[in-house]
Amino acid sequence: MSQITAGRVLSREAYEQAIGTARAASSLYYGTGEAADAALDEAAEVTVLDDATYDQLVRDIAVTETEHPDWRVEASPTQVVGGDAGDVEHSAPMLSLDNVFSADELAEWHASLGKRLGRAPRYVVEPKLDGLALAARYQQGSLVQLITRGDGVHGEDVTFAAAAIAGLPQQLAQPLTLEVRGEVMLTDGQFTAANELRLANGDKPFVNPRNGVAGALRGSKDRTYVIPMTFFAYQVLALFGTPAGAGPNADSDYSAAIALLGELGVSTAATSPAQIAVVDTIEAAQEYIDSLLARRADLGFGIDGAVIKADSPADREQAGSSSRAPRWGIAFKFPADSRLTTLEEVIWQLGRTGVITPRARVKPVFVGGTTVTYATLHNPNDLARQGLMIGDTVMVLRAGEVIPRIEGAVVSARTGAEIPIEAPQMCPNCGSEIDRSQERWRCTRGRKCALPQSIRYAVARDCWDIESVGEKLVRQLVDNGLVTDVADVFTLTEEQLLTLERMGKTSAAKVLAEVEKAKTQPLARTLTALGVRGTGRSMSRRIARYFATMDAIQSADAAAFEEVDGIGPERAPVIVEELIELAPVIAKLREAGVSMTEPGATGRVVADENEAGEGGEAGEAGPSLPLTAESGKPMSVVVTGKMTGPLAELSRNEMNELIERAGGKSSGSVSKNTGLLVAAEEGSSKYTKAQTLGVPIESPEQFAERLEGFL
């Protein structure tokens, strides 16, 4: 699962260079920038590293020091905690954790700790938060001081930033004197808002949330605007003056102390979507880690792994610590979801709706489990705001299974050889003028410019599923003027088809039969085939189930669309505008006999007094459907593994359609809110978690039987 190798022995010269590089990278990540300049003099060839590259560098240093212990220097990252020392001494050293990168390495660490303790400990497993470590001191419940980790012994006073940090109250729920340690970070939403603020005030955007939090924190002292941040606690220390019997003490389990912090009003991982787990075996710890990795992209904030800690204070004391890391805990690092690489080219491409978007070609880099060569750049205006240049060192992000994207450039790494990016003056496909009135530029010919792409998309399996209309046939249909929009597919005749190359009566009959069958596809498929901007397969299904008929969809205004889950005030007007543009195409589809209803959906059931009727709240499925809870709300269904029996031929998208058609809601991860897990086999992490949480589990055959009549 990891991209980090076991490490290699470096030469003396390479080892010394690696130390300088690691110091520079650490200063750039944790420091203010002044110390980084001096450190970079020793590592001039490398100015910035991503997390995975830094981890590999530290592993190489550690292996080299094991082989040549006499080479070890005090500045080695194996000996000190990264960051610049401040003026405030910590009440106890803020140590970092050692890392493992695989299940085998975790098992080895567990065995070593068990040998040291003489028994297997109970563990707490939680997300490894990807932010900046802080210590918050409270006196009689009042926040009095905030300190950065620094070098682990001395940190920097950043109390001035306290008001901007959510999750770290100015006043605790109880008048306790204690110290809370944790990570301050920019959540996904805060990162987006922060860059909007920075651009509006003439500042460069942050490259990503991980590196941006240091600038957001330290810059808040002199900045004229406030960048909100969020704190998650992972440790609490009792200080002198705590009343007897109140608050945490040396005998408190870690899990109990974290629970107390939640009661006091401090944010912790336990109160976040990530949650934490208390486990008795390393196998259970690994299950949580696997589950966390699967949920990583949906948490709303950055994590780069999981942390496994002994829960008992007695176990911690017996295990002890080295000079830089405790022996009772370890960090399990996930495969990097972001890496630094070089922007080599920007390609301007046309989408199926006529939208013109920039696409980045980057120096190939392994990230998120695959080699990335191309990444999205969002839209031209965003590209201009980021100030990217050809030759820039850029951060490529690939969280979960999403398309890789460029997060920003490392401006400090520029050499002067970078080249400005030239935006097209005319449509790169047909040479027509470009409509630049919106964030996303569009050819003034719209869908007509991208007609082949539109038709190929519309006849695909997840839309109308007209398999015999392949790419070559689409090109002939367009070139011969037989189709001028996607609706013309349903008006094709045998006579027209027979005029095309390599088209005989048998082939023509097959095309026409599949076209006729496509007329019966549910409304969600037709809505997807139309390619309405601001929607996709999942959103089209939600819209179809919410409104039930095309008439209702076309009659809806922006406010009505905002009632659909996932559609906000920015997307709703775009959808309304698109439906107006597509009205002639929809009319042709209706005239051709294409279905304009969604099977099983009854639409919004709302009384004149704006109260919910018998079918439940607006947009919810009625209670008669097999995947609708008694409350009338959709049951959350998770599908894992390859389906068998009657479901064997269904794609994952078709499974999602089936679930939603039967009144449910498809989900990708198991949680306490999951109503049902459909599992092809036992033993997967989702299967085990469902058992632990008491979530009902069905085989594909049982699930098919439940949905008899919907297949």
Side-chain angles (χ1 to χ4, degrees):
M1 181 167 68
S2 173
Q3 302 162 24
I4 309 299
T5 64
R8 57 196 175 94
V9 178
L10 305 173
S11 67
R12 182 65 177 266
E13 181 180 356
Y15 168 76
E16 292 174 352
Q17 176 71 21
I19 296 295
T21 301
R23 286 182 57 200
S26 182
S27 292
L28 282 168
Y29 186 84
Y30 294 106
T32 59
E34 297 174 3
D37 293 337
L40 287 173
D41 290 339
E42 304 175 35
E45 294 183 3
V46 181
T47 57
V48 64
L49 301 179
D50 53 57
D51 290 345
T53 305
Y54 179 81
D55 287 339
Q56 186 65 68
L57 186 69
V58 173
R59 281 215 142 185
D60 291 345
I61 290 172
V63 169
T64 302
E65 290 175 346
T66 299
E67 187 73 17
H68 301 285
D70 55 313
W71 293 2
R72 185 181 293 123
V73 296
E74 291 184 2
S76 170
T78 66
Q79 304 301 305
V80 297
V81 175
D84 300 327
D87 299 327
V88 183
E89 183 175 358
H90 288 297
S91 56
M94 289 188 72
L95 302 178
S96 183
L97 287 170
D98 286 332
N99 299 322
V100 294
F101 298 89
S102 69
D104 288 342
E105 290 183 356
L106 178 63
E108 289 176 8
W109 171 82
H110 165 70
S112 176
L113 180 59
K115 185 176 181 181
R116 183 181 294 273
L117 298 177
R119 61 188 178 282
R122 180 177 65 253
Y123 292 119
V124 173
V125 199
E126 59 190 3
K128 184 178 183 299
L129 302 164
D130 207 0
L132 193 71
L134 281 187
R137 293 178 176 176
Y138 285 88
Q139 290 284 349
Q140 298 299 311
S142 297
L143 180 62
V144 296
Q145 193 172 34
L146 282 182
I147 313 161
T148 64
R149 184 204 299 271
D151 64 358
V153 179
H154 295 85
E156 177 186 354
D157 190 316
V158 289
T159 311
F160 55 81
I165 303 176
L168 198 58
Q170 296 287 326
Q171 194 72 36
L172 299 177
Q174 298 179 35
L176 302 179
T177 297
L178 46 78
E179 179 174 309
V180 178
R181 294 179 173 181
E183 297 272 328
V184 62
M185 57 202 310
L186 292 171
T187 65
D188 294 350
Q190 288 171 337
F191 173 68
T192 300
N195 276 347
E196 290 176 354
L197 274 173
R198 289 179 66 79
L199 289 166
N201 285 274
D203 293 331
K204 289 286 185 182
F206 294 133
V207 175
N208 63 24
R210 300 168 182 80
N211 301 92
V213 69
L217 180 70
R218 292 188 174 90
S220 61
K221 188 173 185 179
D222 303 314
R223 194 182 293 119
T224 57
Y225 55 92
V226 176
I227 294 180
M229 294 164 275
T230 296
F231 180 85
F232 291 103
Y234 58 65
Q235 187 179 15
V236 55
L237 303 177
L239 298 183
F240 178 77
T242 301
N249 54 60
D251 297 324
S252 295
D253 287 343
Y254 173 77
S255 54
I258 291 299
L260 171 65
L261 286 178
E263 295 172 4
L264 295 176
V266 180
S267 292
T268 70
T271 59
S272 77
Q275 304 178 322
I276 68 173
V278 181
V279 299
D280 294 319
T281 66
I282 200 65
E283 291 78 16
Q286 186 66 56
E287 289 171 7
Y288 170 88
I289 292 169
D290 294 341
S291 167
L292 187 63
L293 178 58
R295 296 180 286 129
R296 179 184 192 180
D298 302 320
L299 296 177
F301 53 85
I303 65 172
D304 60 355
V307 173
I308 304 93
K309 303 174 179 177
D311 192 27
S312 165
D315 289 344
R316 293 180 172 215
E317 183 177 358
Q318 185 176 345
S321 302
S322 67
S323 61
R324 70 176 298 275
R327 297 188 181 93
W328 41 259
I330 201 76
F332 187 108
K333 296 296 288 288
F334 288 158
D337 67 349
S338 62
R339 295 294 297 267
L340 290 172
T341 187
T342 303
L343 176 60
E344 296 184 333
E345 182 184 10
V346 171
I347 303 164
W348 297 89
Q349 59 185 18
L350 186 78
R352 62 180 182 275
T353 62
V355 172
I356 300 167
T357 56
R359 186 188 189 203
R361 181 173 63 81
V362 300
K363 183 178 180 180
V365 60
F366 193 75
V367 54
T370 189
T371 298
V372 172
T373 305
Y374 294 94
T376 182
L377 285 167
H378 303 294
N379 59 70
N381 290 329
D382 189 56
L383 177 63
R385 283 195 296 267
Q386 290 190 61
L388 295 177
M389 301 179 74
I390 303 298
D392 266 339
T393 297
V394 294
M395 183 69 75
V396 175
L397 174 72
R398 187 175 184 271
E401 296 302 320
V402 300
I403 298 172
R405 69 175 185 266
I406 301 292
E407 283 208 311
V410 183
V411 179
S412 61
R414 284 178 175 165
T415 64
E418 293 76 21
I419 302 172
I421 297 170
E422 294 186 9
Q425 299 304 308
M426 308 297 286
C427 172
N429 185 58
C430 70
S432 299
E433 293 186 359
I434 298 175
D435 179 1
R436 294 178 169 84
S437 62
Q438 298 185 25
E439 282 285 302
R440 294 185 178 276
W441 294 357
R442 195 182 189 199
C443 174
T444 51
R445 293 182 63 228
R447 287 177 169 81
K448 291 188 180 299
C449 180
L451 184 57
Q453 296 97 306
S454 296
I455 296 174
R456 285 200 300 270
Y457 179 78
V459 300
R461 181 177 180 181
D462 291 337
C463 297
W464 285 323
D465 193 16
I466 308 176
E467 185 179 2
S468 58
V469 180
E471 185 172 351
K472 291 182 179 180
L473 180 55
V474 168
R475 178 56 64 183
Q476 287 193 74
L477 293 172
V478 173
D479 291 346
N480 287 276
L482 298 181
V483 294
T484 58
D485 55 45
V486 295
D488 284 342
V489 171
F490 292 94
T491 63
L492 291 172
T493 65
E494 181 183 55
E495 182 180 5
Q496 289 175 320
L497 291 173
L498 290 177
T499 65
L500 303 178
E501 294 180 8
R502 298 184 179 181
M503 179 65 68
K505 284 185 172 292
T506 301
S507 297
K510 182 179 180 182
V511 170
L512 294 175
E514 290 184 1
V515 167
E516 191 65 27
K517 182 180 178 182
K519 293 180 181 180
T520 64
Q521 292 282 11
L523 174 60
R525 292 289 193 98
T526 292
L527 199 58
T528 304
L530 288 170
V532 179
R533 284 185 293 161
T535 70
R537 293 174 302 186
S538 178
M539 183 58 68
S540 293
R541 289 197 298 268
R542 292 183 211 168
I543 293 172
R545 288 211 58 77
Y546 187 79
F547 291 103
T549 69
M550 182 63 82
D551 285 339
I553 291 174
Q554 289 185 280
S555 300
D557 58 14
F561 275 105
E562 286 185 40
E563 296 298 319
V564 180
D565 182 29
I567 298 180
E570 293 183 359
R571 186 182 297 188
V574 174
I575 295 175
V576 172
E577 182 181 315
E578 281 283 280
L579 288 167
I580 293 173
E581 179 182 315
L582 287 164
V585 178
I586 295 172
K588 289 171 69 174
L589 290 172
R590 186 180 283 111
E591 186 177 349
V594 176
S595 174
M596 294 288 155
T597 61
E598 182 68 10
T602 56
R604 294 176 294 167
V605 185
V606 183
D608 292 339
E609 296 79 16
N610 203 31
E611 295 179 352
E614 294 181 0
E617 296 180 1
E620 293 179 352
S624 60
L625 298 174
L627 296 181
T628 302
E630 292 183 2
S631 63
K633 293 186 176 181
M635 178 190 297
S636 177
V637 180
V638 176
V639 177
T640 183
K642 182 174 177 57
M643 295 295 98
T644 55
L647 308 179
E649 300 302 317
L650 297 186
S651 67
R652 186 51 52 94
N653 183 60
E654 288 170 331
M655 282 294 297
N656 292 341
E657 284 185 331
L658 175 63
I659 290 167
E660 294 178 15
R661 197 162 61 245
K665 179 179 180 181
S666 58
S667 176
S669 60
V670 176
S671 71
K672 62 182 180 181
N673 296 320
T674 301
L676 178 67
L677 173 69
V678 182
E681 56 185 22
E682 301 179 7
S684 68
S685 59
K686 290 180 181 178
Y687 191 98
T688 303
K689 186 171 184 181
Q691 285 183 315
T692 302
L693 296 175
V695 172
I697 302 173
E698 290 184 0
S699 68
E701 289 77 12
Q702 290 171 321
F703 189 61
E705 186 177 347
R706 174 197 282 260
L707 300 190
E708 185 178 3
F710 286 83
L711 292 174

